[in-house]
Amino acid sequence: METRSHVSPLRRWVESILVWYSLFMVLFLLFRFVLQSTWRFISFLNNLAPYLFGLAVVGLVISLLLRRRRLSGVYVLVTLIGALWIGSALLPPFTPLATADDSASIKLVTINVYPNNDDLSEMVDWLDARNPQVIALQDLPEDSTALADLNDTHPHIALQEGRATRAIYSQFPILESSDVQLAHSTAQRVVLDVNEQAVVIYNVHLFMPLNDRDAQWTILRYDEKRRNEDVAQLLDNIANETEMVIVTGDLNLTEWSPVYNQVTEQLTDAYRRSSWGIGATWPADASEDFGAGYPRLFRIDYVLFTEPIEVVSSIVGSSVGSDHLPLIVELVIP
């Protein structure tokens, strides 16, 4: 039997990493669930939860191979917590979905276009090929003349007032269109006539969870305060609506953040209800904040809705020249 004094340097190094990572995960879970900390570092780590637990699974396998029983026990506990929190959300839905009915369905696409996207023709061609009935766009560049090609297929158009960074193109008549001021951002509120049924759509781009500090590292600027205030104001507005509501756009939050639970207490997440996996929509290409070369990590683009709307399907689309991927959702309006 190999004694501790004769353990190879490589094994000592691996075991040291395993011990420190297990301690890191225990502290993270303590702050996240027991202390319910809103410390910015913990809030940032919430977004990485699936990947942190993925590394914990790797740590469990290695600690078992090294026959470190106590260390393996810690990793088993961490992995079980991860399975309960993350695993169930990533599995396919077990409840039956709605069935599309042409007379009462909406095929909706939401895209954060990206303000530095200087060629919208690729996105327009992609949309023409899929022909959604409703298109919700955010973060439009100043030169959006290429979107005029959508006018023939989507004659009902609502643009944000002033410098239009949000737009809705619809095949359904638009009954009302206005801008709604949230705590730190502006949302588009549009009422559609869907087969003589009024449906309210909020087209949003919530405040990015960064503060105004002059710091090179994103983690030093990460701050959810203003984004969460936007969420609270949006939910208050929706609570006062008397018609069915769809919320679509870039919410700048992941489902692992505590505020997501507040959102889904009031709204149904179309992707999580009808699909599975992380469903990452960002970053899809070079980002103005993070540059190029990052893998697709986070799902921050959503379609959410109130009852009695139901969802048929949700699919993350292919790249259209933005740093976000489009989300294609089919809904049924009772």
Side-chain angles (χ1 to χ4, degrees), residues 233-277:
Q233 183 64 61
L234 176 64
L235 294 179
D236 284 346
N237 289 357
I238 293 170
N240 293 323
E241 296 284 358
T242 57
E243 307 290 351
M244 292 176 283
V245 176
I246 298 171
V247 177
T248 183
D250 178 1
L251 272 65
N252 270 321
L253 66 86
T254 69
E255 61 187 292
W256 321 118
S257 174
V259 74
Y260 173 83
N261 297 329
Q262 299 174 27
V263 172
T264 52
E265 285 176 0
Q266 195 166 329
L267 300 162
T268 299
D269 180 348
Y271 184 87
R272 190 53 64 214
R273 173 68 180 83
S274 61
S275 193
W276 63 284

Side-chain angles (χ1 to χ4, degrees), residues 19-198:
V19 170
W20 281 108
Y21 191 74
S22 66
L23 178 61
F24 165 77
M25 288 300 295
V26 169
L27 289 174
F28 168 57
L29 293 173
L30 175 66
F31 277 97
R32 173 64 171 82
F33 290 106
V34 179
L35 302 179
Q36 298 183 353
S37 172
T38 57
W39 183 30
R40 287 182 297 173
F41 182 65
I42 298 300
S43 298
F44 179 82
L45 290 178
N46 286 333
N47 301 312
L48 299 171
Y51 308 106
L52 296 178
F53 283 110
L55 291 175
V57 172
V58 174
L60 172 60
V61 173
I62 295 175
S63 60
L64 288 171
L65 292 174
L66 295 178
R67 299 181 181 179
R68 294 293 306 273
R69 293 183 180 179
R70 292 180 181 178
L71 191 58
S72 298
V74 175
Y75 274 103
V76 167
L77 177 61
V78 170
T79 302
L80 286 175
I81 294 174
L84 292 173
W85 179 23
I86 307 296
S88 59
L90 302 181
L91 295 175
F94 294 104
T95 52
L97 298 175
T99 302
D101 182 342
D102 290 339
S103 64
S105 65
I106 291 181
K107 185 178 182 181
L108 183 151
V109 169
T110 180
I111 308 175
N112 180 314
V113 179
Y114 186 48
N116 295 338
N117 190 343
D118 55 3
D119 183 9
L120 300 183
S121 58
E122 179 183 2
M123 184 189 73
V124 171
D125 291 342
W126 184 91
L127 289 167
D128 283 340
R130 286 149 185 84
N131 192 30
Q133 292 151 304
V134 179
I135 302 168
L137 305 177
Q138 310 90 38
D139 246 5
L140 291 172
E142 289 192 21
D143 183 8
S144 301
T145 54
L147 297 179
D149 293 341
L150 296 173
N151 295 357
D152 293 337
T153 55
H154 296 76
H156 308 286
I157 304 167
L159 298 175
Q160 185 183 25
E161 296 179 4
R163 162 77 173 93
T165 61
R166 294 163 188 74
I168 288 182
Y169 289 77
S170 173
Q171 295 177 358
F172 300 107
I174 294 177
L175 302 177
E176 298 177 30
S177 176
S178 61
D179 291 343
V180 177
Q181 184 61 47
L182 304 180
H184 301 281
S185 66
T186 304
Q188 242 191 321
R189 181 185 180 274
V190 172
V191 182
L192 300 183
D193 180 358
V194 182
N195 301 323
E196 300 183 355
Q197 182 75 260

